[in-house]
Amino acid sequence: MSGGLSASPRLISEFAKTSARCTGLLATLAAFAALASPAHAITIDEAMEIAIRSHPELKAEMLEAEAADRTVGAARSGYFPSISFDGSLRDERTERPTFDRTLTAREYSVTVTQPIFDGLATPARVSEARSDAEAEAFEAGAVRNDIALEVADAFLGALEARKRLEIFSAQEARARDIFDKLQKRAEVDRGLRSIVVVGRSQVEEARFLTLEAQRDVTLADARYRELVGDVPGELVEPVPPVELVGLDDDAALARAEAAHPVLAAARARAEAAGGSKRVTRAALMPRLDAELRARKGDNIEGITGRDNDYYAGLRVTYQFATGGAAFYDLSAASYREKAALARVYDAARDVRLEVLTALETFRSQSATHAVLASRLAATSELVRVYDAQFVSGRRDLIDLYFVLSEERSAARAELEARFERLRSAYALMAALGDLGPSVTAAPSLDDDDR
């Protein structure tokens, strides 16, 4: 082949030196990465657990859940008696026709009150507090689910960036090998020297893609480090769970409606609103308490000596009029209960829509990856055949570079489709509400915080 542009020996020499320096830099970076990476290959589940144990937002949610759980005990205290102590010490001046004196009066009393009937306010408060605590726990589970999905995306992003760098580095090495062969043949056949320009452009393009992939690795590692708290070492590529492959719409919806933490939290909030309404209604009922009181008094009304009395009995309290406050409170509580029930339906609708969208995305990404994987296999086989034909002189270089470019494109598309399929799988698990470690893997609370 003759004609076209020819490359000067000086340009070829400079390009070779630059390529050698870049290759040396790549080797140095790879060595540092190997030293920094831990011996243990981390899985995506381990990365989720590490991030969840140290995530501040989830720790705050767990503390809120612990605080809400304490209110259950406070509400339950209405079943038990209360003990109160009252005491006074004062000076009293008594003026009478026969004497005028100042005496010190002392009075102490202890009262024990046992609630007998409070309009069922105490069981309603216990129910409200327990439902609130459950809602806080479910909301912590929802946060854990979201954090796990975010970590999964960061994990897959870091792993995909590494895979992309491996592919482009291998393709750069192949392009450089073909370029070296081309240079040797151009030394014998002067008509091939114009093709050297094409070979150099292919090497430069492959080098550009490698540098771009290195940048992507750095950015992906930074995001992973911020979420997980450690520099990513060797990462194990996950496999989508088998049960997701044959999951149909009805089974997915039933699974999400039964266990999704967002929907469970909305239901618990509705139950808490019902308990709050019952507490408000109890204000319209009479209250019955058993009381036991012992009082000790000295120098009462200026009379020297003891003045003690004891009391045991029942006390009935009923508010006949409150200015309408109790009725307005009950009406407001009824509206809040209806609003909480409406939020349950809204949360259920959002969960169903999210599940159906995630399920269809996973199916689409799975089908796309299957097609692109077949395309990559066919393109790789074509490159192998063209390379062998080029070495034997039966195939033109332009044809070989064309199929190399097709292989590069197919490899990149297959890699992106594979990881999009993985992302869609974890997004589907998050939509189902069961992504991430169990609640026992949530961040532990310090003793000082309890």
Side-chain angles (χ1 to χ4, degrees):
M1 185 180 296
S2 61
L5 299 176
S6 61
S8 65
R10 184 179 65 83
L11 289 176
I12 295 175
S13 176
E14 290 295 330
F15 181 80
K17 292 179 181 178
T18 303
S19 299
R21 286 195 296 268
C22 293
T23 304
L25 179 60
L26 276 176
T28 304
L29 291 175
F32 276 114
L35 291 175
S37 61
H40 173 66
I42 188 170
T43 65
I44 193 169
D45 292 332
E46 291 171 341
M48 290 180 190
E49 184 173 354
I50 293 172
I52 282 174
R53 287 186 179 278
S54 59
H55 202 284
E57 182 182 1
L58 182 56
K59 184 175 182 179
E61 289 291 336
M62 294 298 295
L63 290 171
E64 291 287 350
E66 288 283 350
D69 189 61
R70 298 299 191 272
T71 62
V72 178
R76 196 180 289 117
S77 64
Y79 289 117
F80 304 102
S82 61
I83 302 175
S84 62
F85 173 80
D86 186 20
S88 65
L89 177 65
R90 64 189 184 275
D91 288 337
E92 293 184 357
R93 181 175 178 79
T94 303
E95 296 181 359
R96 295 186 179 181
T98 57
F99 64 87
D100 185 1
R101 68 178 64 179
T102 299
L103 300 176
T104 301
R106 301 179 180 85
E107 183 178 357
Y108 311 97
S109 64
V110 177
T111 304
V112 179
T113 303
Q114 172 62 55
I116 297 177
F117 178 75
D118 60 356
L120 302 179
T122 297
R125 288 192 185 97
V126 172
S127 176
E128 178 187 7
R130 186 178 291 113
S131 297
D132 277 332
E134 291 177 355
E136 290 290 345
F138 286 128
E139 287 174 359
V143 171
R144 184 179 65 251
N145 194 54
D146 294 340
I147 293 172
L149 179 60
E150 191 175 2
V151 172
D153 186 67
F155 182 97
L156 295 174
L159 182 58
E160 181 183 7
R162 281 166 166 72
K163 296 289 186 180
R164 186 183 297 112
L165 179 58
E166 292 177 5
I167 292 174
F168 289 162
S169 298
Q171 291 176 349
E172 180 187 0
R174 176 177 290 181
R176 196 179 302 280
D177 180 65
I178 296 175
F179 178 73
D180 292 338
K181 294 177 182 178
L182 179 62
Q183 279 187 309
K184 292 180 181 179
R185 291 178 59 179
E187 293 176 358
V188 179
D189 187 355
R190 300 178 62 88
L192 294 177
R193 291 186 177 181
S194 60
I195 307 300
V196 172
V197 177
V198 179
R200 183 183 298 110
S201 67
Q202 291 292 320
V203 173
E204 290 173 349
E205 181 182 357
R207 178 59 186 160
F208 167 76
L209 294 175
T210 302
L211 293 174
E212 192 178 47
Q214 289 175 348
R215 182 205 63 185
D216 293 340
V217 168
T218 302
L219 295 177
D221 286 355
R223 181 166 181 255
Y224 178 96
R225 185 172 59 250
E226 288 300 318
L227 287 174
V228 182
D230 195 7
V231 178
E234 183 181 355
L235 304 178
V236 178
E237 183 173 342
V239 178
V242 179
E243 64 269 16
L244 297 182
V245 177
L247 190 64
D248 60 11
D249 293 355
D250 293 336
L253 291 176
R255 180 172 167 182
E257 290 177 353
H260 201 288
V262 171
L263 184 54
R267 289 169 177 160
R269 292 296 184 193
E271 293 177 0
S276 178
K277 179 182 176 181
R278 293 192 295 274
V279 171
T280 307
R281 186 187 292 117
L284 302 176
M285 305 293 290
R287 180 183 179 92
L288 177 62
D289 298 314
E291 286 188 352
L292 177 64
R293 182 182 182 187
R295 186 178 68 86
K296 178 181 180 181
D298 291 331
N299 293 334
I300 304 301
E301 296 182 355
I303 302 175
T304 303
R306 294 180 298 175
D307 184 16
N308 302 336
D309 57 48
Y310 306 93
Y311 163 75
L314 299 176
R315 180 186 296 274
V316 179
T317 305
Y318 182 72
Q319 290 183 327
F320 284 95
T322 60
F327 293 98
Y328 283 112
D329 289 342
L330 180 59
S331 178
S334 298
Y335 282 113
R336 293 191 186 97
E337 183 183 28
K338 293 177 181 178
L341 291 173
R343 292 189 183 97
V344 172
Y345 291 113
D346 186 62
R349 182 189 61 184
D350 291 342
V351 167
R352 288 194 298 268
L353 180 59
E354 186 179 2
V355 168
L356 293 176
T357 302
L359 185 57
E360 185 58 32
T361 302
F362 174 70
R363 292 168 179 167
S364 176
Q365 293 296 342
S366 299
T368 301
H369 176 255
V371 173
L372 293 178
S374 300
R375 174 195 172 193
L376 176 59
T379 307
S380 299
E381 177 62 20
L382 192 61
V383 168
R384 187 188 66 80
V385 174
Y386 274 43
D387 192 14
Q389 292 176 351
F390 171 71
V391 172
S392 62
R394 294 182 294 122
R395 178 63 64 178
D396 190 86
L397 180 64
I398 299 298
D399 295 335
L400 179 58
Y401 278 138
F402 174 76
V403 294
L404 282 174
S405 178
E406 285 294 314
E407 184 191 34
R408 184 185 303 129
S409 176
R412 187 170 188 172
E414 187 277 334
L415 179 69
E416 293 176 352
R418 189 194 336 155
F419 278 88
E420 285 300 322
R421 178 173 180 260
L422 287 171
R423 287 189 182 91
S424 64
Y426 283 93
L428 176 56
M429 285 189 286
L432 295 173
D434 55 3
L435 182 60
S438 62
V439 71
T440 56
S444 60
L445 304 178
D446 297 333
D447 293 337
D448 295 339
D449 295 332
R450 292 185 179 272

